[in-house]
Amino acid sequence: TVTILFSEYVQHRNPLYWPNPHTFDPNRWAKDKPKPTPFSFIPFWTGPRTCIAKHVVMMLMKLTLSMIAKNFDINQDFDPKKKPLVDQNGAPLKILGKVNAYISP
C-alpha cells in the first residue's frame, strides 16, 4: 500500500517558495512583487470559489495512480526505528527524515 499525502498547510509555509513563511505579510501580494511560483499557493482548493473541474481532475488522478499501481511495483524504504510521519489527531502533517519510494516495472 502506498499513501500519497499533500498538505496545503505545509505547502503554504514552504520556505522554498515563501521568504519568512510563518510571518503574516500582505505586502508579498503587492503588484511590484514577483508572482508566486505556480501551485505554491492554492487558495481555491475548497469553498465557494473552488475549481469547477475538481471532480474531473480527481477522477483523472485516481485513474493515473491506479494505472501506476497496476503496472509497476512501488516500494518504500525508511528507518523503522523512527516514525516517518508527524500527526496531530490522526491527520498526517509532514514527513520527518527521509522516505524513499522506488518504482520498478
Side-chain angles (χ1 to χ4, degrees):
T1 303
V2 173
T3 303
I4 297 175
L5 305 172
F6 177 80
S7 170
E8 59 190 63
Y9 177 87
V10 173
Q11 180 70 11
H12 290 172
R13 287 157 183 82
N14 189 337
L16 207 68
Y17 303 115
W18 308 103
N20 303 317
H22 297 287
T23 304
F24 177 70
D25 181 15
N27 290 327
R28 70 178 58 172
W29 306 107
K31 292 187 181 203
D32 60 334
K33 300 282 184 169
K35 288 186 177 184
T37 305
F39 304 110
S40 61
F41 184 64
I42 46 174
F44 306 119
W45 191 280
T46 61
R49 294 185 176 96
T50 188
C51 175
I52 59 173
K54 177 172 79 172
H55 299 292
V56 174
V57 171
M58 290 300 288
M59 182 185 65
L60 288 173
M61 185 171 61
K62 289 175 186 178
L63 178 65
T64 302
L65 288 174
S66 67
M67 294 299 291
I68 290 172
K70 178 182 173 189
N71 295 308
F72 296 93
D73 290 327
I74 303 171
N75 298 302
Q76 58 183 342
D77 178 27
F78 61 89
D79 186 356
K81 295 177 185 174
K82 299 178 185 176
K83 283 186 171 181
L85 297 177
V86 172
D87 63 60
Q88 180 179 7
N89 300 325
L93 294 178
K94 67 179 180 177
I95 295 175
L96 294 177
K98 187 176 184 180
V99 177
N100 295 316
Y102 304 97
I103 300 175
S104 56

